[in-house]
Amino acid sequence: MSRFRLPARVAPSPAAEEPGLQNSAARLRSSREVQSRILAERRAPEAGLPAVNIEAQLPDLPTSPLAEAGLAGKREGERDQPPSPAIPPEVPSGVVSKPRKEKLVVLFRLPLATERRLELIPGAGEVTSAYMLRAFAKEARAELRRLLAEEDVNAHADEARRIFAMSATDLAVGEAMTVYAQGSAIRAMHAALGDPWQIEPRATIVGAFLAAIASRLIEARRVR
Amino acid sequence: MQVITIVQTKGGSGKTTTAMLLASAALNLGRRVTLIDGDVNAQLGRWRDSFELATWEGAQKPDWPESLAILSPPESVEGLLSLLEAEEERGVDLVVIDTRPGTHTDTEDFCLISDLVLIPARPVYAEWEMTHRAVLWMDDLRASIAEDERFPAVRVLVMDAGPKIIDAATREGGMAQLPKRDQDVLQEILRLDHLDVIVPHSRILEQLGYHGPLGPAARANAKAPGGRLLADAITRQLEVAELVLTGIDEVIPA
């Protein structure tokens, strides 16, 4: 067999997920976060504050190059014109925008040991294990979406750390699924798994937390 | 056969120049090279034409090397895979694929069939963010394929660097001589997986279309009256290109 072949995909192509966009918003934001870190590191000694405090104060707002420059939705000729005083701004000053959810495609993979515990759940005989897994995955996904900040994330950090460190052979064959998570929660997840600069792929980190939440749900329901 | 894809989300970052440099270095080492021009601008595809059309003054223009082929990419992935097989059977040692700027699925296909993805990065403030984005794109691409599948090595190549940047990266205390902004940019680029070579800024880089492959150009100019200085400059650039290729050979053995 020829060595030239395309590898099997387990998630959609990152470029196909953003048709027409040369630079995905997610990657742009991530670059902005690195810039924010540099700024925070640089400002920290002047302000006499540890860098982490300053970083926490950085606004958690959706970033787009046009929005940032105040040019979103404007045509070329409109860019230099001052805003008309007759039209009130849509958002009153002082109102913080809604926290932004991130859409991610993650691989839902439970540890093999956890998957075996599905049999110990009341009513397990009435449905297939694949059906139960999907039910727990959906419940975990809803829980993941509710996580907001460090304290919410920390409740699942130990289990996520354990799953993150597991080798692929200790995990069941997974299924790709779309999940949503708050930007602040994703950052806290990276930090909890020892990746404060967010070098690891987000899908891997969030996937570990999704599996951790599902493990917890399964553990809570099994017959002891 | 080594297969290298050159990727950068930003245009004008040195992708085509890198392809031309790698081809020059490999030809000088006696390797057979095929370039595939996946860029819509087709600057690489027109390299031979630019070379043939250029009017060399004073020096005898050499023939285009037989061991260097420039091809257009096939229309389908299957076509690309067959093309690579055919090139390997033909005894080609190095295939370099140039891509278009931006994030595109065809570029991803090129990456996935390669042994190495090379991301040229100019160490300037306006561009480093794009380099970072290209690296993140490759991370996302890696996450999109099955775990037991082969994924190419990804390396950044610092391109077109001025003397201060080179001093900062290579000399003790050189970093302090740089303005803070440039220090940050250089440090951020060097934090990424990179080849241990920096390609210095040179007029030769801008004139690759005119000179053609660097080895024959250096030899032709050395023979021409008054061509010694130009020949030396081309030779220095060729030496850098060979260092880049040596760095690549360490990552993916030839």
Side-chain angles (χ1 to χ4, degrees), chain B residues 127 131 161 249:
Chain B
E127 290 191 19
T131 303
D249 286 347

Side-chain angles (χ1 to χ4, degrees), chain A residues 2-3 5 8-11 13-15 18 21-23 27-28 30-31 34-35 37-38 42 109 168, chain B residues 1 77 85 88 103-105 108 112 115 129 132-133 136-137 140 144-147 149 184 188 191:
Chain A
S2 165
R3 77 177 177 99
R5 63 182 190 84
R9 288 282 176 99
V10 293
S13 133
E18 48 197 46
L21 290 180
Q22 291 226 333
N23 312 298
R27 281 193 274 282
L28 179 67
S30 184
S31 303
V34 176
Q35 286 183 337
R37 173 168 55 75
I38 295 171
R42 199 184 298 172
R109 300 185 73 178
Chain B
M1 182 172 83
V77 175
E85 274 170 35
E88 192 161 47
T103 50
H104 304 282
T105 49
E108 288 183 350
L112 290 174
D115 302 309
E129 190 182 299
H132 189 249
R133 243 175 274 174
L136 289 170
W137 177 24
D140 289 349
S144 78
I145 64 164
E147 255 178 53
E149 291 281 7
D184 288 341
E188 287 302 325
R191 252 176 207 172

Side-chain angles (χ1 to χ4, degrees), chain A:
Chain A
M1 200 178 92
S2 165
R3 77 177 177 99
F4 301 112
R5 63 182 190 84
L6 277 186
R9 288 282 176 99
V10 293
S13 133
E17 277 205 309
E18 48 197 46
L21 290 180
Q22 291 226 333
N23 312 298
S24 102
R27 281 193 274 282
L28 179 67
R29 186 185 50 259
S30 184
S31 303
R32 293 285 150 96
E33 278 159 12
V34 176
Q35 286 183 337
S36 303
R37 173 168 55 75
I38 295 171
L39 273 175
E41 282 170 3
R42 199 184 298 172
R43 284 177 189 157
E46 292 164 21
L49 286 169
V52 65
N53 283 356
I54 291 177
E55 212 163 13
Q57 291 163 18
L58 291 169
D60 182 20
L61 294 173
T63 316
S64 103
L66 289 176
E68 224 168 55
L71 300 176
K74 287 189 183 179
R75 284 183 295 242
E76 205 163 301
E78 294 172 326
R79 291 185 179 182
D80 303 328
Q81 293 169 7
S84 161
I87 305 166
E90 281 177 23
V91 181
S93 61
V95 174
V96 179
S97 75
K98 216 171 120 187
R100 188 180 163 126
K101 285 191 297 287
E102 303 290 337
K103 182 183 176 186
L104 295 160
V105 179
V106 304
L107 203 55
F108 176 62
R109 300 185 73 178
L110 281 179
L112 286 170
T114 310
E115 219 175 276
R116 281 195 284 271
R117 285 188 194 143
L118 284 173
E119 295 160 14
L120 305 174
I121 291 175
E126 293 162 26
V127 288
T128 63
S129 61
Y131 180 87
M132 286 172 79
L133 268 181
R134 267 172 46 207
F136 278 113
K138 281 189 166 180
E139 212 172 314
R141 176 164 68 176
E143 176 68 28
L144 184 79
R145 198 172 175 155
R146 281 193 287 273
L147 301 182
L148 269 178
E150 206 179 327
E151 49 271 30
D152 304 332
V153 168
N154 282 346
H156 307 284
D158 287 342
E159 181 66 7
R161 219 170 282 132
R162 197 175 68 80
I163 293 171
F164 186 63
M166 275 183 172
S167 74
T169 50
D170 296 331
L171 295 165
V173 176
E175 203 177 330
M177 66 186 293
T178 305
V179 299
Y180 292 87
Q182 303 290 347
S184 55
I186 295 176
R187 279 196 293 280
M189 288 177 199
H190 275 279
L193 297 193
D195 177 31
W197 292 354
Q198 301 177 25
I199 296 165
E200 296 291 342
R202 288 184 311 165
T204 314
I205 298 282
V206 177
F209 271 88
L210 180 70
I213 295 169
S215 300
R216 217 169 185 215
L217 293 171
I218 293 169
E219 189 63 25
R221 305 236 174 113
R222 79 184 168 107
V223 181
R224 284 163 206 276

Side-chain angles (χ1 to χ4, degrees), chain B residues 8 33 35-36 54-55 66 82 88-89 92 99 121 137 141 150 169 171-172 180-181 203-204 206 234:
Chain B
Q8 190 25 305
V33 183
L35 302 175
I36 298 178
T55 320
E66 278 179 14
S82 323
E88 192 161 47
E89 270 179 32
V92 169
T99 61
W137 177 24
L141 183 60
R150 190 188 68 100
R171 289 201 187 150
E172 192 78 27
K180 185 78 183 100
R181 195 175 66 173
R203 292 284 305 262
I204 304 297
E206 294 163 14
I234 295 174

